[in-house]
Amino acid sequence: MLKIEDLHVAVDGAEILKGLTLEVPAGEVHAIMGPNGSGKSTLSHTIAGRDAYEVLSGGVTLDGDNLLALDPNERAAKGLFLSFQHPIEIPGVQTMNFIRTAMNAQRKARSEEEISAADFLKSIRAKAKLVGLNDAKIKRPFNVGFSGGEKKRMEMLQLVMFEPRFAIMDETDSGLDIDALKMVGDVVNELRDPSRGFLVITHYQRLLDYIKPDAVHVLADGRIVKSGGPELAAELERSGYDQFIEAA
Amino acid sequence: MSSTPLINPSPLETGLRAAFAARSQTSEAQAAAFERFQKHGFPNRRVEGWKWSDFNAALRRLQPANDRAGAVAIAPSDFAGLNPIEIRIVDGRIIVPGNDAVEGIEYGIIDPVGASPHMDDHAIAALNVAMTRKALGIRVLQGVELVRPVLIRHINSGSTPVFSQTLARAEEESRLTIIESFEGAGAYYSTLFHLGVREGAQVERYLLQNAGAEMITHAFCGVMMSRSAKFKQTSLSTGGALCRHETHMLYPSDGSESRIASASLLSDERHSDFTTIVGHQGEECTTRQLHKGVVRDRGRNIFQGKFLVERTAQKTDAKMTANALLLSDMAEANHKPELEIYADDVECAHGSTSGALDDDALFYLRQRGLDEHCARALLIEAFVGEVIDGIPDDGVRNIFGARVNQWLEAV
């Protein structure tokens, strides 16, 4: 499904990813853990196509499609979703209008029919309830005046609305209380599917108590330095990242 | 007749002098006004308040001519759906609807104004007073809540300078919605609008500047607010060669309230200037002012806002915000927010920002599937949204919103 091969990426001339290789097969959830500054967010933004991240060499494909050749919106239309660590606010744009506009833009790019207003309304109301956002919140300007936790719920609402083929969760757990963490776990578990993949980026093991990963990778100094099963997350929680920083 | 010579007059100024001299019926007030104009001429960039909008330089490029189009083809107004009382000022000629008498309002052609408390030493306003032959008069009677809006369409053609005046009054406890649209193409258009909002009356005024790229417009508006009067003004301008909308408010009594909102959407080399002065004299008056400018290419956005709070104006509550969004390296925004406060028990604030579109926001929207054009348009629409969303009238809000979208699609 998602294949990253020997990826080298620079930001402002400084190389951050230094030969990262990773494969997430369809139907699996992989976690990436790593200390601050190891390149976790650089990886998520590069996969999603942010301009400021310069790919020096290497490749990223999703089901064989070369993502690096596509604009960010084309990647989204291919089914790539990024749950942002720091979601933005858009004053003046109503949440429901925004999500519907975005859904229809993706559908149009895939030559699919637009979602009808009635179907959309029914769907977003049910799904907002699922992620713990009430009707009033989805009628307000997008994320305006929302707490950090509510913004993460809004990311989860979009995840369930878009039903992407592949989702990257960039530190979705930061700033979340236990109830919200559980909600995130429920949403991801509900969406787990033999044809869908997830990459969960996190500092801590706690989110992985709710989302059981198929594999855990340690990212340090721009490279995957160790890969293992779920037990690796627990080990990291006990012994920290120091050993990997030194090794890198 | 006037005696002060203009120093280094432009062809337009010379032409105006000849035109004024040739006029058979001029009042003393008009002669005095022309004298005031001649003393200064059209303001240039060395005059404070005009440094970013140099009318003298812009008008020097104009040659007076007499090529006014004979019959101007007039399309239905964007506002036609609001069932307005439609008055047209076509190349300065006022056309009021004949068989359209509406209860509670009087309108017709009246004598022009002689002077006004808002315009001491204002050369362009003085010239308008001198040159305008007839004015449009509008009066909403006491206690009448006029349901239909009054639409004034300023339609220009040809390259002859055109002058017009509107004198309007909303009597005690009345309500009036007045829409002014600036259309067509032309050379120099000067309009003077005087509005009296009497005790307890409420007026909504909307301005849509939608004229051609070559247009040089000066629209002067003076508003006199009585006790507990309410005034809401929303303006949307796509600019012109040089386009300045001035609003001069005066609160001599207590408890007046205003909301003054404006937005400019500027492309190519279009220029828009919103200049306002709000004179607070009575107690417990409230002013909210918001300006948003979106500028691309070599557009120029000017905002000058001044709150004058006199010693008598205790408990004034006045806030001013001006934000500009610059979409190209050559785009320009010049903002001058000013507070001049002599009272000690007031709450006054102003803020001004300018910047580019937020890269984080653009990337977020594109990750959600919007292409670059759509993502930028959505953010610009959201930026201007605060001005548009604040329009109390649903019909006008939709028309202004549609105009914003039309601009976004074209650029």
Side-chain angles (χ1 to χ4, degrees):
Chain A
M1 183 150 212
L2 183 76
K3 250 189 187 162
I4 304 170
E5 282 177 287
D6 195 23
L7 187 65
H8 291 255
V9 176
V11 182
D12 291 331
E15 190 172 347
I16 308 291
L17 297 184
K18 302 169 181 172
L20 189 145
T21 297
L22 176 71
E23 184 171 354
V24 184
E28 294 197 3
V29 174
H30 286 212
I32 287 196
M33 302 181 73
N36 288 324
S38 57
K40 299 194 300 295
S41 286
T42 299
L43 176 62
S44 66
H45 281 76
T46 303
I47 299 171
R50 183 145 195 183
D51 281 349
Y53 295 77
E54 188 195 350
V55 176
L56 304 172
S57 63
V60 182
T61 58
L62 181 63
D63 289 337
D65 287 323
N66 176 13
L67 290 184
L68 300 180
L70 302 176
D71 282 339
N73 45 297
E74 293 169 334
R75 300 181 198 199
K78 290 271 182 208
L80 178 73
F81 179 86
L82 171 61
S83 171
F84 283 72
Q85 187 184 356
H86 303 291
I88 57 154
E89 300 182 5
I90 325 175
V93 175
Q94 196 214 27
T95 301
M96 289 202 288
N97 283 346
F98 163 61
I99 295 178
R100 189 164 164 233
T101 304
M103 280 181 83
N104 282 334
Q106 291 193 18
R107 284 174 177 232
K108 196 175 159 198
R110 294 192 291 257
S111 307
E112 294 170 9
E113 286 224 356
E114 290 199 348
I115 185 167
S116 77
D119 288 348
F120 174 79
L121 201 63
K122 205 173 143 196
S123 166
I124 196 167
R125 284 210 167 122
K127 288 174 175 172
K129 201 176 274 177
L130 193 75
V131 301
L133 290 170
N134 61 28
D135 252 21
K137 292 270 192 243
I138 58 173
K139 285 180 182 160
R140 292 225 321 237
F142 187 74
N143 276 343
V144 174
F146 282 25
S147 68
E150 286 170 333
K151 286 178 183 170
K152 294 294 173 74
R153 288 177 191 273
M154 189 59 81
E155 295 296 286
M156 290 303 99
L157 173 60
Q158 293 172 82
L159 174 66
V160 291
M161 288 302 290
F162 291 126
E163 298 181 332
R165 284 199 296 152
F166 195 92
I168 304 167
M169 321 260 293
D170 190 355
E171 298 196 23
T172 302
D173 51 344
S174 66
L176 291 190
D177 60 22
I178 296 292
D179 289 344
L181 270 180
K182 186 172 177 309
M183 177 275 296
V184 171
D186 289 346
V187 164
V188 171
N189 291 330
E190 183 67 27
L191 286 176
R192 284 176 98 145
D193 181 295
S195 64
R196 183 175 286 133
F198 287 90
L199 189 59
V200 178
I201 296 172
T202 182
H203 272 300
Y204 308 106
Q205 190 210 342
R206 53 180 200 159
L207 179 62
L208 305 180
D209 291 340
Y210 300 95
I211 307 169
K212 269 277 169 277
D214 297 292
V216 175
H217 310 276
V218 181
L219 179 61
D221 196 27
R223 270 184 287 256
I224 301 292
V225 293
K226 188 167 185 180
S227 297
E231 71 288 346
L232 181 56
E235 185 195 325
L236 283 168
E237 196 77 3
R238 277 196 310 275
S239 53
Y241 292 112
D242 284 355
Q243 50 177 321
F244 299 109
I245 295 172
E246 280 155 21
Chain B
M1 195 42 61
S2 47
S3 54
T4 314
L6 279 159
I7 300 158
N8 184 23
S10 65
L12 177 64
E13 285 166 335
T14 307
L16 288 167
R17 190 183 164 93
F20 188 75
R23 292 261 296 266
S24 53
Q25 291 173 314
T26 49
S27 66
E28 272 182 36
Q30 286 180 317
F34 198 78
E35 184 73 9
R36 280 207 305 282
F37 167 69
Q38 289 215 102
K39 207 169 122 193
H40 304 288
F42 283 107
N44 61 37
R45 63 189 160 80
R46 287 185 294 278
V47 180
E48 183 64 27
W50 300 85
K51 63 183 166 187
W52 295 309
S53 295
D54 188 333
F55 272 75
N56 198 305
L59 290 166
R60 254 169 215 281
R61 293 191 285 269
L62 273 188
Q63 293 296 323
N66 200 4
D67 65 345
R68 189 170 296 171
V72 183
I74 297 167
S77 166
D78 289 345
F79 298 98
L82 306 179
N83 186 28
I85 300 165
E86 183 172 324
I87 298 165
R88 295 172 180 175
I89 303 180
V90 182
D91 288 327
R93 196 160 49 89
I94 303 163
I95 306 161
V96 293
N99 301 314
D100 196 30
V102 180
E103 216 166 302
I105 181 172
E106 297 170 356
Y107 52 84
I109 295 167
I110 60 172
D111 284 334
V113 74
S116 108
H118 302 285
M119 35 186 227
D120 2 294
D121 263 4
H122 194 301
I124 289 182
L127 180 65
N128 183 295
V129 169
M131 299 302 290
T132 305
R133 291 163 199 262
K134 286 291 174 193
L136 166 65
I138 298 170
R139 189 166 85 97
V140 182
L141 307 185
Q142 188 176 343
V144 171
E145 297 194 1
L146 201 66
V147 178
R148 292 175 66 187
V150 175
L151 169 64
I152 303 173
R153 298 178 68 184
H154 301 270
I155 303 168
N156 288 289
S157 67
S159 59
T160 309
V162 174
F163 302 88
S164 82
Q165 280 182 23
T166 301
L167 312 175
R169 200 158 77 209
E171 300 287 7
E172 284 83 353
E173 305 293 339
S174 67
R175 292 186 77 151
L176 166 66
T177 297
I178 196 154
I179 303 165
E180 288 185 76
S181 70
F182 294 78
E183 309 166 38
Y188 174 60
Y189 183 52
S190 155
T191 174
L192 208 66
F193 183 95
H194 273 251
L195 173 67
V197 189
R198 291 294 171 88
E199 192 167 331
Q202 296 184 34
V203 174
E204 287 171 30
R205 178 174 184 241
Y206 299 102
L207 283 178
L208 184 62
Q209 172 68 46
N210 210 6
E214 300 306 314
M215 196 74 195
I216 299 173
T217 306
H218 189 278
F220 183 106
C221 172
V223 184
M224 185 65 84
M225 301 278 284
S226 298
R227 185 180 303 276
S228 304
K230 289 189 171 70
F231 178 67
K232 285 183 180 168
Q233 175 173 289
T234 309
S235 312
L236 179 61
S237 174
T238 49
L242 186 55
C243 192
R244 171 150 158 152
H245 288 273
E246 287 185 34
T247 306
H248 298 243
M249 312 264 321
L250 203 56
Y251 305 156
S253 311
D254 301 343
S256 306
E257 278 179 41
S258 291
R259 176 188 189 267
I260 309 164
S262 51
S264 340
L265 303 171
L266 306 172
S267 55
D268 303 318
E269 296 190 0
R270 287 180 179 243
H271 177 121
S272 167
D273 175 339
F274 282 103
T275 293
T276 58
I277 300 174
V278 184
H280 302 77
Q281 295 172 338
E283 290 192 2
E284 294 188 44
C285 293
T286 304
T287 306
R288 289 288 176 272
Q289 182 164 22
L290 174 65
H291 174 76
K292 300 269 186 174
V294 180
V295 197
R296 47 171 288 143
D297 305 325
R298 289 170 165 270
R300 298 184 82 204
N301 182 57
I302 317 298
F303 170 79
Q304 303 185 104
K306 181 174 180 174
F307 290 166
L308 173 62
V309 182
E310 297 193 15
R311 208 164 42 81
T312 49
Q314 297 296 357
K315 303 207 183 311
T316 290
D317 175 2
K319 290 186 179 62
M320 179 195 302
T321 306
N323 310 121
L325 191 53
L326 300 172
L327 300 177
S328 75
D329 291 345
M330 299 303 287
E332 202 177 306
N334 298 291
H335 292 178
K336 187 181 171 195
E338 272 184 287
L339 300 176
E340 193 176 321
I341 302 171
Y342 299 99
D344 50 16
D345 182 15
V346 299
E347 270 190 57
C348 295
H350 66 61
S352 171
T353 63
S354 68
L357 281 175
D358 179 10
D359 281 340
D360 289 338
L362 270 176
F363 177 61
Y364 187 96
L365 298 179
R366 297 195 67 193
Q367 204 301 305
R368 293 302 183 248
L370 302 186
D371 64 31
E372 186 165 9
H373 179 83
C374 288
R376 291 170 71 88
L378 187 89
L379 291 176
I380 296 167
E381 193 186 342
F383 176 81
V384 180
E386 220 180 323
V387 168
I388 308 299
D389 296 345
I391 294 175
D393 187 294
D394 291 345
V396 178
R397 188 169 57 248
N398 290 339
I399 292 164
F400 274 45
R403 182 68 191 99
V404 172
N405 287 327
Q406 201 186 344
W407 186 84
L408 286 171
E409 274 164 29
V411 298

